[in-house]
Amino acid sequence: MKLWPSARGGCCATCSQVPKASGVFRVALVGQPNCGKSTLFNAVAGYRSATGNFSGTTVNVTWSRVRVNGLQIELIDVPGIYSLTASSPTENAAKEFLLNGHADVIVNVIDASLLSRSLELTLELQELGIPLVVCLNMIDEARHKGMAISSEKLSAMLDFPVVETVASRGTGVPELFAQVVARRNPPAESPLVGIAPWNPAAKSGSDGEDCHPSGACCHEAPQPRPSGKLGDAGSDPLPRPALTLSEVCGAVAQPVAQAAGATVALAADSVDDAAADLAILQDRRARAAGFAEQSTTMGMPQTDFRIAVDNLLTHPVWGYVFLALLLGGFFWAVFGIGGWLEKQLLALMAGAFQPMTAGLGHQTLAFAVVRSLWDGFVGGAAIVLPYLIPFLFGLALLEDVGYLPRVAYLLDGLFHRVGLHGTSVVPIMLGYGCNVPACMSTRVLPSRRDRFLATVLATLVPCSARSMVIFALAAFYLGPMWALAIFAFDALVVFLSGWLLARLWPEVSVGMILEVPRYQWPSLRMTSRKVWLRLREFVMVSWPLLVAGSGVLGLAEFMHWDRFINAGLSPLTSMLGLPRAVGVTLVFGVLRKELTMIMLVQALGTTNIHSVMSAAQILTFTVFVTFYIPCLATLAAMAKEIGKKLTVLAAAYSFLLATVLAVATRFLFTALHGI
Amino acid sequence: MITSTFDMPSSQQAAQPILVALDSLPKSTRAEVVELPLGRGALHRLAELGIFVGSILHIERSAPLGGPVLVNVRGTLVALGRGLARRVQVRVLP
């Protein structure tokens, strides 16, 4: 299998339409949350779609071009859906894609150990009339539970191919794609009421990688077939009452409703749709249960040590003890490994600097530029990477094992007290890695208010970049207890901010409904690839930026331009009691948070910060950087999720919070230590 | 078909089942869902996970501090917020 070097998200901020070049064979991976779609996607396309053991890891439609048996395939990873009735924006994206995106073949990925429930979606997908291949994934899990599933029987009953796989190990994947290729030549017929196939001709010869040139994107209403009306179900060749009314009316029919408006509205009015929904669901459930029962022979389940583990990890007392120990252990491990490496690397690189600049005079422009570029490089290699690698690795392990939903379970009660949804624990935990995916993961929350709260709180969590600043400044110069105190203090601020915001925007929360997945033994290969996916972001984007930013600052200093910025920011820096030269680093920090650290080194002209800043100043600076304005990438993600206005408000809030807390730190620390 | 109360054999129907709130049950109890007075969105999400009127739940445990109730339904573990669990009316099974 050869792959093309492209994996992308949806074409624009608000839609999930994947533009299709005509003649491309499109295969969509569809299934219920956490059944391993992304794992399968990665097994074929290389690691491009982030995976994790919790519902809603994938919130965007991701695609990649791969070559299977000489045939070019556009493989699409669709966010998980329980059914075609969407109740969150993530699921809406998936549904919209399925109904408008025109996949040539759907690979319905099923968690074999949850066969009956998963088949409900299969039956629903069958009604779409797109060729299906069922991928009976995690078949090892099913065997573990004592389920012997006959894929032949299942295939005969469903009337389409069923292939057994273990995507995490790649077992059965070639057989699966052989079946997919065999299912080519789809019928041109559009199966759904009144929705014509999307016409590629409507999109003039663009490169197939951008939004539709009209700018109308997928929001453009598809033209209804002249004959297509909701009432036309009689002419539909499908033997079953297709989708429930709400499935059709919910999101699909929005564009149709504009065109065929009255028909849909009338139909919705005339039927007691809630009852009809339920009846269709019940019918589908009964059929799914029947299929599952007939194809499965139950044997003795093997003893599962995971139950004992879970008894401990979700225990009313030990669960919390373990959570505290785990987070504490994680912290010490990152600090221990990172701190040791930082010392070694700094010493090593300091030695390399002298001979490199031997020929340059000390007051020349060339020296200033080389030194600042070198500082940027050293900052990335010796200050950021030593902490970033163990940090990302630990976080990836926690995600892959399936511990995050347990944290949500343990903390929901506490969160509810402040008026938050327990499910918002997941975005907040993800925020420690990077705030951008954290903001995106709030899409799994059902209400707009909950999404807003979770987004704001997630951005107050120190992401890996800000954690690096905490480790490399507070822990390195003041001692690990100070860093731990900042993390704990941050958690408290997040909690109190949640309490405050929940009161400013009161709403009765629906209550948590969260699937808690089985623990999965993490595969070292998958976890490392995931760490690399995230690390690549640093190496390819942030690190060059650090070097370039450091160079720009060095140049600016040589020309004495930086004093304008520093003078402009002097009210802030003097209020915080920081050296004036720090001002410019805070501006760079809005671009990328790692820059504050590196720029500090550059601005102060030394890698030994403590020689020019007092303990109080280091602490104040760290607190300010931990809270102030999210980085540009996060701001963009926030604007996408909660809108520009709320983003500006949230940024203003974080700036205010940072200033107040940093000033408080300054005076408290000085008062206590008398420095 | 929609409410299982009416599907029961007549002998059982005569003796009204004693309904209790899901969150009041101790761990390791089995119970059948009898009433779900919830909004449509919540009903649908629950149904997708396999929780509907007539489904049988095994209560695994509840979190302290008014935390969620963890139930096992057909092999799927689902955490239900306490407020929601309080509204789910169930009949305890032996």
Side-chain angles (χ1 to χ4, degrees):
Chain A
M1 276 174 211
K2 188 177 169 287
L3 51 109
W4 285 51
S6 60
R8 295 158 209 272
C11 80
C12 72
T14 49
C15 75
S16 52
Q17 179 77 60
V18 180
K20 181 181 180 181
S22 54
V24 172
F25 181 47
R26 240 183 193 191
V27 179
L29 304 177
V30 185
Q32 297 191 331
N34 214 36
C35 66
K37 293 171 295 297
S38 297
T39 309
L40 181 63
F41 181 86
N42 292 337
V44 182
Y47 203 105
R48 283 150 193 281
S49 192
T51 55
N53 189 8
F54 50 92
S55 300
T57 316
T58 308
V59 290
N60 269 334
V61 176
T62 315
W63 79 94
S64 181
R65 289 199 180 151
V66 294
R67 200 169 272 282
V68 181
N69 303 341
L71 181 70
Q72 191 185 317
I73 294 183
E74 200 165 74
L75 190 65
I76 299 148
D77 186 18
V78 181
I81 43 170
Y82 286 108
S83 73
L84 288 178
T85 315
S87 52
S88 72
T90 306
E91 294 182 351
N92 235 329
K95 188 169 83 168
E96 212 173 275
F97 169 79
L98 280 178
L99 296 163
N100 295 335
H102 287 266
D104 295 313
V105 171
I106 291 178
V107 173
N108 176 208
V109 186
I110 280 182
D111 177 348
S113 66
L114 300 170
L115 186 62
S116 171
R117 191 188 87 187
S118 311
L119 283 176
E120 288 171 26
L121 177 65
T122 310
L123 293 175
E124 218 174 339
L125 290 173
Q126 192 181 18
E127 288 159 1
L128 290 174
I130 301 170
L132 262 179
V133 176
V134 168
C135 165
L136 214 49
N137 196 23
M138 305 196 203
I139 194 79
D140 52 337
E141 281 292 341
R143 290 198 190 115
H144 203 84
K145 275 171 88 174
M147 296 166 75
I149 304 170
S150 158
S151 47
E152 293 81 24
K153 262 191 200 169
L154 197 59
S155 173
M157 279 187 286
L158 292 169
D159 205 21
F160 41 74
V162 177
V163 185
E164 298 177 8
T165 63
V166 183
S168 59
R169 280 190 254 123
T171 319
V173 176
E175 291 83 354
L176 175 72
F177 278 86
Q179 287 291 349
V180 168
V181 173
R183 295 279 289 184
R184 227 180 147 199
N185 310 324
E189 194 76 14
S190 167
L192 248 199
V193 280
I195 299 178
W198 180 55
N199 181 8
K203 169 174 136 350
S204 62
S206 88
D207 59 4
E209 290 176 353
D210 217 326
C211 271
H212 306 182
S214 63
C217 233
C218 59
H219 308 305
E220 190 179 3
Q223 289 117 29
R225 272 188 303 197
S227 64
K229 269 187 286 181
L230 198 68
D232 260 299
S235 64
D236 202 302
L238 297 167
R240 290 276 164 188
L243 303 166
T244 71
L245 203 56
S246 69
E247 281 155 4
V248 176
C249 294
V252 198
Q254 271 170 6
V256 186
Q258 291 160 5
T263 328
V264 174
L266 268 177
D269 275 350
S270 58
V271 186
D272 183 1
D273 55 343
D277 261 14
L278 216 57
I280 295 174
L281 268 178
Q282 300 261 13
D283 169 60
R284 205 181 281 143
R285 180 174 301 132
R287 285 163 59 215
F291 285 156
E293 207 171 296
Q294 285 169 49
S295 57
T296 311
T297 334
M298 283 306 287
M300 277 301 284
Q302 295 170 35
T303 45
D304 201 339
F305 73 97
R306 287 178 290 191
I307 294 172
V309 171
D310 216 20
N311 280 339
L312 180 69
L313 296 195
T314 55
H315 188 274
V317 177
W318 297 114
Y320 294 92
V321 172
F322 184 83
L323 176 64
L325 283 178
L326 187 89
L327 295 181
F330 184 27
F331 172 85
W332 284 104
V334 172
F335 173 72
I337 299 171
W340 183 79
L341 276 176
E342 180 180 352
K343 263 194 199 128
Q344 308 298 320
L345 287 171
L346 276 181
L348 197 76
M349 299 213 162
F353 182 64
Q354 289 299 347
M356 204 172 66
T357 53
L360 303 167
H362 268 225
Q363 294 305 319
T364 60
L365 176 66
F367 177 80
V369 170
V370 168
R371 198 199 67 165
S372 53
L373 290 177
W374 176 247
D375 279 350
F377 174 77
V378 169
I383 301 178
V384 179
L385 280 178
Y387 296 103
L388 192 62
I389 295 171
F391 187 85
L392 290 180
F393 203 81
L395 204 67
L397 276 182
L398 285 184
E399 284 176 32
D400 287 353
V401 167
Y403 189 58
L404 293 192
R406 268 87 187 176
V407 180
Y409 165 79
L410 288 172
L411 296 182
D412 177 64
L414 204 63
F415 269 59
H416 232 81
R417 300 235 156 149
V418 296
L420 283 172
H421 212 281
T423 322
S424 40
V425 171
V426 174
I428 290 172
M429 292 290 288
L430 289 179
Y432 282 101
C434 174
N435 287 177
V436 175
C439 290
M440 281 158 56
S441 74
T442 61
R443 285 184 214 164
V444 298
L445 294 170
S447 107
R448 185 164 168 260
R449 175 259 196 186
D450 288 340
R451 282 197 292 277
F452 169 71
L453 291 191
T455 305
V456 174
L457 298 186
T459 57
L460 290 179
V461 169
C463 62
S464 55
R466 279 178 282 168
S467 298
M468 295 318 106
V469 179
I470 298 174
F471 277 118
L473 276 180
F476 193 74
Y477 291 109
L478 308 179
M481 286 318 282
W482 283 106
L484 197 59
I486 292 178
F487 279 110
F489 180 64
D490 179 85
L492 185 72
V493 171
V494 167
F495 198 69
L496 292 177
S497 295
W499 180 84
L500 180 75
L501 292 171
R503 256 134 212 87
L504 291 177
W505 189 343
E507 185 182 282
V508 181
S509 217
V510 192
M512 177 163 84
I513 303 174
L514 180 73
E515 184 179 349
V516 180
R518 283 183 307 269
Y519 289 110
Q520 304 270 4
W521 198 247
S523 116
L524 199 64
R525 195 171 61 102
M526 283 290 181
T527 309
S528 326
R529 289 173 101 179
K530 178 177 185 163
V531 170
W532 169 239
L533 183 77
R534 292 179 180 169
L535 208 57
R536 201 175 53 183
E537 160 84 6
F538 173 77
V539 174
M540 309 296 244
V541 182
S542 304
W543 206 355
L545 257 175
L546 290 185
V547 176
S550 187
V552 168
L553 187 61
L555 192 67
E557 273 186 343
F558 188 79
M559 305 288 191
H560 301 291
W561 294 333
D562 57 323
R563 51 187 168 167
F564 299 112
I565 298 175
N566 286 337
L569 285 174
S570 62
L572 180 68
T573 43
S574 67
M575 189 161 62
L576 301 178
L578 296 173
R580 239 179 163 198
V582 164
V584 69
T585 69
L586 298 176
V587 175
F588 277 94
V590 178
L591 291 176
R592 312 266 324 175
K593 295 290 173 178
E594 302 97 327
L595 281 172
T596 49
M597 177 68 218
I598 312 306
M599 294 293 126
L600 193 65
V601 172
Q602 171 62 27
L604 299 177
T606 172
T607 46
N608 185 7
I609 307 285
H610 211 354
S611 63
V612 280
M613 272 167 87
S614 70
Q617 285 177 321
I618 291 179
L619 197 65
T620 309
F621 181 78
T622 313
V623 168
F624 188 78
V625 170
T626 303
F627 291 101
Y628 92 116
I629 311 181
C631 73
L632 267 189
T634 307
L635 286 173
M638 285 170 84
K640 207 149 97 179
E641 301 304 327
I642 61 175
K644 285 193 186 105
K645 219 167 99 185
L646 290 177
T647 303
V648 171
L649 274 176
Y653 173 72
S654 66
F655 182 76
L656 205 70
L657 195 67
T659 312
V660 170
L661 294 176
V663 170
T665 307
R666 176 193 175 188
F667 287 110
L668 268 178
F669 191 88
T670 316
L672 289 176
H673 283 73
I675 300 166
Chain B
M1 181 167 160
I2 292 168
T3 50
S4 69
T5 324
F6 303 107
D7 292 344
M8 277 188 280
S10 51
S11 60
Q12 279 185 27
Q13 207 171 4
Q16 276 292 314
I18 303 154
L19 297 189
V20 286
L22 179 63
D23 74 316
S24 66
L25 294 178
K27 65 187 234 177
S28 309
T29 326
R30 253 159 46 90
E32 181 190 337
V33 178
V34 182
E35 279 175 23
L36 279 174
L38 299 167
R40 192 166 157 179
L43 271 186
H44 217 106
R45 172 47 41 95
L46 288 175
E48 288 169 346
L49 290 165
I51 301 174
F52 41 88
V53 171
S55 57
I56 293 169
L57 312 176
H58 184 264
I59 289 114
E60 297 284 335
R61 64 184 73 86
S62 330
L65 306 163
V69 180
L70 195 65
V71 298
N72 188 326
V73 51
R74 295 189 302 187
T76 308
L77 280 180
V78 183
L80 297 174
R82 189 59 66 98
L84 197 120
R86 191 167 298 140
R87 291 162 70 184
V88 177
Q89 299 291 310
V90 296
R91 183 169 66 91
V92 179
L93 298 175

